[in-house]
Amino acid sequence: LNNPRRMTLAAAGVLFIGTLWLYLGFPDRMYLAGFDGLIFGAIADGTEPDWQKYVFHANHLLFNALGMGAYRLLRFFGSGTDGYGALEVMNAVLGAAGVMMFFLGLRALTRDGLASALGALALGGTFGYWRRASEGQVYMPSLLCLIGLALALAFYLKAPARRGAVAAAGMAG
């Protein structure tokens, strides 16, 4: 455990598992406020009439396809969840990944493990981020891309020779 790289990866893993556990433990299930999520869930599990027309919807190009993949993966492993539940699980995984990615980025930028962990926990514990990570709405994949773009920009500002990383992150976001 004297290896700083292993300690960083272990801390990132703990942050991922811990935030995933929290997000999955407190699912949103706000059906009245999340009508769109219910529609996306019905597309994911195929109960929406003519759901095939909406898989690659212009406003949410990949979200429904990702949701269908999450639903089918969960069903493959024996989960009895519905489409909305699958979207909640997918967003919880993406939210936990965002917290982990933010920690790793801060750690690389600051070399301060404690401050990086606290910053990542602060992000993951904010009302807006937590809510998006525990609901079946379309926002979490975009937030994950936004975190990546912000980190790429921070790395670029620290070392301008990394222009390619910023361009790639901008195109992904």
Side-chain angles (χ1 to χ4, degrees), residues 70-149:
Y71 174 76
R72 290 182 178 164
L73 185 66
L74 288 169
R75 298 294 278 201
F76 177 78
F77 285 109
S79 172
T81 189
D82 61 355
Y84 188 81
L87 296 179
E88 287 179 323
V89 170
M90 178 183 77
N91 281 343
V93 170
L94 294 176
V99 170
M100 182 180 70
M101 188 168 70
F102 195 63
F103 165 74
L104 290 171
L106 289 178
R107 177 74 174 92
L109 287 167
T110 67
R111 306 279 187 232
D112 186 339
L114 180 60
S116 300
L118 291 174
L121 286 172
L123 169 71
T126 61
F127 172 76
Y129 193 89
W130 186 307
R131 174 142 187 227
R132 297 310 181 198
S134 64
E135 69 180 0
Q137 295 282 359
V138 301
Y139 307 105
M140 200 73 239
S142 298
L143 286 173
L144 189 64
C145 290
L146 191 59
I147 290 169
L149 181 58

Side-chain angles (χ1 to χ4, degrees), residues 1 4 21 38 48 50 55 59 68 72 74 83 95-96 108 135-136 140 142 155-156 159-160:
L1 288 175
W21 179 76
L38 294 176
E48 172 71 19
D50 295 326
V55 174
N59 293 341
M68 288 180 68
R72 290 182 178 164
L74 288 169
E135 69 180 0
M140 200 73 239
S142 298
F155 280 112
Y156 171 73

